Amino acid sequence: MPVMLRRGLQREDVQGYLFISPWLIGVVVFFIGPMVASLVLSLTDYSIIAPGLSFLGVENYREIALDPLFWKSLGVTAYYLALDVPLGQVGSLALALLIHRQIRFKSLFRTILYLPSVTPIVAAASIWLWFLQPRFGLMNGALGLFGIDGPAWLASREWAVPGLALVTLWGIGGARMIIYLAGLQGVPEELREAARIDGAGVWRVFTAVTLPHLTPTIFFNVIIDIIGSFQQFSVAYIATDGGPDNSTLFYVLYLYRNAFNYFRMGYASALAWIMLLLLLAFTLVQFRGARRWVYYGGA
Amino acid sequence: MAAPESLAAARGRYRLGRRLASDLGLAFTYLSLVAACVVLFLPMLWAITGSLKSSGVLYSYPPQIFPREWQWVNYLEVFRIVPFLLFARNSVIITVTALTGQVLISALVAYGFARFRFRGRNVLFVLLLSTMMLPQQVILIPQYLLYAQLRWIDTYLPLIVPFWFGHAFSVFLLRQFFMTVPRDFDDAARIDGANPWIVFWRILMPLIQPALIAVGILGFRSHWNSFIDPLIYLNSTSKYTLLLGLSYIKSNYLVDSGGDPHENWLMAASIMVTIPTILMFFVLQRHIVRGVVLSGLKQ
């Protein structure tokens, strides 16, 4: 019997590995291999146009620490995140709360809100380039109706990042909102009803019942949002190409330029690893902090 | 008998207050939703009417939303200035071939993870999850060098082949779905003499069709909207995807040779690029919501 048991187990091993083998090969070739190579490259001065490479140790990392454009791109990305993540989360949650109610034309509303997020990001950036056109765009035209002299948006150093944040905030009715809607379905209606009977107003029901039950969803959304937004590239590439005066030099845009415009593959790999470590650290900190504010029901 | 009466009156007043509050709340909900829809639709409206303006009307001040004459010829102009149909064909080829592999192979791998208790399964599954979270920029450069070695630069292969080794997020989603199918289905078929491959292909694949559609839609969007990879790997204009074409128009045709502004061309192209994703959304709306919810519920 034990022999048969072992043989059965082995057969399941073989079958299992057979079925996952495409992924297993893929993960080694397209993932683990490149991952190791990237770490090694980051310690060299490899450039695809010059033959050979020499080992530099941590020289790239030292140079990055002294590179003003690295700090600039980090600052730009942080500024963008500080605008996009909180506003996007609050906006998406607000829309989800509105649409979660028993209302007519629910699917019509949901469709219209969702549409901007369906627009390919390159098209969205082009559309907003025209919408935010300083003199002839609708944005400043509309602001003009209220007597506000709109800024030059993407053409100005101060307003370019907020302008790009608007482009991505346009998608607040997208995936995030739908994930919030799903989260709202998990909030026990009895509890909300009980709070209402006890005389709690709309706001109180929201803060005392709905919000605590939503914290796991919020946590998930925020983590995904930060990781995703940190990698934002297309919007800046299309709408401003990092300008004016590097005011929209997103981190990944700077990485891209080092790799594919200046052909500094080693340096760009080091930039990529710093980005990975930053995101990892950030996520870990969030998981630590989560203990204090994320509420996992009775579990 | 006065006391009960006043209690009833108080209760009535209370109910009336509640009803009024709830009516007000409902009115607020509708107003906010309509406002949100209008605001989010404005950039799209501006793009649509912009695509129909003559270049003389584009730069008129104050901005006018609706042009007096609708210049449909702008859409034809896009096909004249760039090989737009060729771009569309390229996008379709890449999307269809990459997506086919992504869905089929991911399902195969997901089946392996869901149904076989092979040694090392949990470790490998954690590896799969971690590849989902990793910012792609970290492996971008070594991948580029790998494809350069293989002479895949300026071909579609880097955009297609990796997906024929399974796609981590799709594997994850499909595995979750496989887990919801009772093993009785497998067992019944096994007793009838079916091998694991038959169980997978004949029994389980038809059962998980909704999940396959959801993965297909998410995949369609990511391939159709993909920008940084085609930007890096495709050099010849004749191989460009629609989004690269859009970027090309933005860089080269915002102003024509006579010095006239041509945001109308960029807007027409942006809208044409967006239409397939919108159509896809309308046809498959229900599945999209399910897909996003599935992806959001993983936590």
Side-chain angles (χ1 to χ4, degrees):
Chain A
M1 275 305 267
V3 178
M4 271 183 70
L5 204 75
R6 257 183 66 196
R7 190 191 280 162
L9 212 108
Q10 279 171 346
R11 198 207 291 167
E12 202 167 339
D13 278 339
V14 172
Q15 286 174 339
Y17 274 100
L18 222 56
F19 276 105
I20 70 159
S21 60
W23 171 77
L24 207 54
I25 296 167
V27 86
V28 171
V29 175
F30 298 112
F31 195 86
I32 297 175
M35 194 87 173
V36 174
S38 163
L39 188 58
V40 173
L41 276 177
S42 80
L43 305 172
T44 71
D45 64 351
Y46 186 73
S47 155
I48 196 162
I49 40 176
L53 81 177
S54 47
F55 187 74
L56 295 177
V58 292
E59 188 53 41
N60 280 330
Y61 293 90
R62 266 234 318 261
E63 195 184 329
I64 286 172
L66 299 171
D67 179 353
L69 281 181
F70 160 75
W71 292 106
K72 176 81 190 171
S73 68
L74 207 57
V76 167
T77 307
Y79 182 27
Y80 168 74
L81 282 174
L83 291 173
D84 184 72
V85 176
L87 290 176
Q89 294 296 335
V90 171
S92 299
L93 179 55
L95 290 181
L97 285 167
L98 289 172
I99 232 166
H100 181 64
R101 299 194 55 170
Q102 295 292 338
I103 50 167
R104 281 163 191 236
F105 314 117
K106 187 183 265 212
S107 69
L108 178 70
F109 281 126
R110 199 179 53 198
T111 305
I112 297 176
L113 295 175
Y114 195 78
L115 278 184
S117 74
V118 180
T119 311
I121 192 73
V122 178
S126 307
I127 286 168
W128 277 81
L129 196 64
W130 176 227
F131 189 68
L132 293 178
Q133 215 276 354
R135 210 169 133 67
F136 307 105
L138 187 59
M139 184 69 153
N140 281 353
L143 288 176
L145 291 181
F146 298 100
I148 302 169
D149 193 14
W153 294 109
L154 304 177
S156 80
R157 258 185 283 173
E158 293 76 25
W159 287 93
V161 171
L164 292 183
L166 282 179
V167 180
T168 47
L169 283 171
W170 195 35
I172 52 170
R176 271 180 311 204
M177 181 188 83
I178 290 182
I179 291 172
Y180 275 128
L181 271 176
L184 281 171
Q185 264 149 26
V187 180
E189 192 51 43
E190 321 80 88
L191 280 184
R192 282 154 56 113
E193 192 53 44
R196 258 179 236 128
I197 288 168
D198 285 348
V202 178
W203 180 248
R204 188 96 177 86
V205 172
F206 174 69
T207 54
V209 181
T210 311
L211 204 54
H213 279 92
L214 272 184
T215 47
T217 314
I218 296 173
F219 180 62
F220 169 79
N221 257 347
V222 168
I223 296 243
I224 296 294
D225 201 5
I226 289 176
I227 295 178
S229 300
F230 200 101
Q231 298 177 56
Q232 188 53 258
F233 166 82
S234 315
V235 168
Y237 182 87
I238 293 290
T240 58
D241 197 18
D245 195 18
N246 288 328
S247 60
T248 57
L249 185 66
F250 282 20
Y251 192 90
V252 175
L253 184 58
Y254 186 50
L255 192 159
Y256 168 86
R257 282 188 183 169
N258 270 293
F260 299 105
N261 292 349
Y262 319 144
F263 304 110
R264 302 186 66 192
M265 300 282 182
Y267 196 74
S269 298
L271 283 173
W273 273 87
I274 289 174
M275 171 179 170
L276 175 65
L277 295 178
L278 278 176
L279 284 177
L280 214 59
F282 216 73
T283 309
L284 281 178
V285 168
Q286 280 177 299
F287 267 97
R288 288 233 138 180
R291 283 184 215 146
R292 252 172 277 144
W293 66 273
V294 177
Y295 167 74
Y296 285 103
Chain B
M1 295 309 276
E5 214 172 38
S6 74
L7 187 65
R11 192 176 282 154
R13 237 191 349 264
Y14 174 72
R15 285 222 184 101
L16 196 71
R18 277 319 276 247
R19 166 90 73 59
L20 198 70
S22 121
D23 281 354
L24 270 176
L26 210 59
F28 173 78
T29 303
Y30 281 113
L31 271 178
S32 316
L33 277 173
V34 169
C37 287
V38 169
V39 168
L40 288 182
F41 189 66
L42 276 181
M44 193 50 100
L45 177 73
W46 186 241
I48 294 169
T49 66
S51 74
L52 297 169
K53 288 174 181 171
S54 64
S55 70
V57 182
L58 277 176
Y59 282 14
S60 60
Y61 189 85
Q64 56 183 93
I65 295 187
F66 296 102
R68 220 167 292 151
E69 278 168 47
W70 292 14
Q71 199 171 331
W72 291 97
V73 72
N74 292 335
Y75 283 82
L76 289 179
E77 287 289 288
V78 172
F79 292 88
R80 185 184 60 80
I81 57 175
V82 295
F84 204 71
L85 274 181
L86 185 66
F87 297 161
R89 193 202 67 152
N90 296 342
S91 278
V92 169
I93 289 175
I94 293 169
T95 302
V96 169
T97 47
L99 193 55
T100 309
Q102 179 177 336
V103 173
L104 288 181
I105 302 296
S106 299
L108 203 67
V109 175
Y111 172 63
F113 272 115
R115 285 299 201 251
F116 298 92
R117 233 169 267 129
F118 53 87
R119 254 167 269 175
R121 181 174 70 165
N122 293 341
V123 177
L124 288 175
F125 195 66
V126 170
L127 176 64
L128 181 106
L129 294 183
S130 53
T131 64
M132 267 165 45
M133 302 296 277
L134 187 100
Q136 293 301 302
Q137 289 77 18
V138 177
I139 49 176
L140 187 70
I141 290 159
Q143 277 187 340
Y144 180 86
L145 300 177
L146 173 69
Y147 299 141
Q149 279 295 314
L150 295 168
R151 307 206 170 276
W152 283 6
I153 305 299
D154 207 25
T155 72
Y156 299 146
L157 294 172
L159 309 172
I160 295 168
V161 175
F163 294 93
W164 281 84
F165 288 87
H167 173 252
F169 186 53
S170 309
V171 170
F172 173 77
L173 278 185
L174 292 169
R175 172 196 173 261
Q176 301 303 89
F177 222 82
F178 273 123
M179 306 281 266
T180 65
V181 179
R183 269 176 186 266
D184 306 356
F185 285 95
D186 308 38
D187 294 340
R190 289 283 190 103
I191 289 165
D192 289 345
N195 64 35
W197 172 255
I198 302 272
V199 172
F200 166 70
W201 191 245
R202 293 270 176 76
I203 314 283
L204 293 178
M205 280 298 258
L207 283 173
I208 62 155
Q209 212 180 336
L212 292 174
I213 293 174
V215 166
I217 294 164
L218 293 175
F220 169 83
R221 272 183 62 188
S222 70
H223 291 295
W224 191 261
N225 296 353
S226 154
F227 182 64
I228 188 164
D229 282 346
L231 179 71
I232 289 168
Y233 294 122
L234 303 177
N235 304 326
S236 345
T237 318
S238 64
K239 289 180 180 142
Y240 275 11
T241 61
L242 278 173
L243 292 194
L244 286 184
L246 194 58
S247 165
Y248 185 73
I249 292 173
K250 191 252 151 185
S251 318
N252 298 291
Y253 294 98
L254 268 189
V255 179
D256 69 12
S257 47
D260 288 326
H262 274 295
E263 273 90 352
N264 46 7
W265 292 344
L266 183 63
M267 290 308 108
S270 299
I271 287 161
M272 285 193 282
V273 167
T274 307
I275 283 172
T277 61
I278 292 184
L279 282 181
M280 191 85 174
F281 173 76
F282 273 112
V283 174
L284 300 162
Q285 197 187 148
R286 211 170 298 264
H287 299 285
I288 293 184
V289 173
R290 182 168 5 179
V292 176
V293 169
L294 259 179
S295 65
L297 288 181
K298 59 187 179 181
Q299 304 196 15

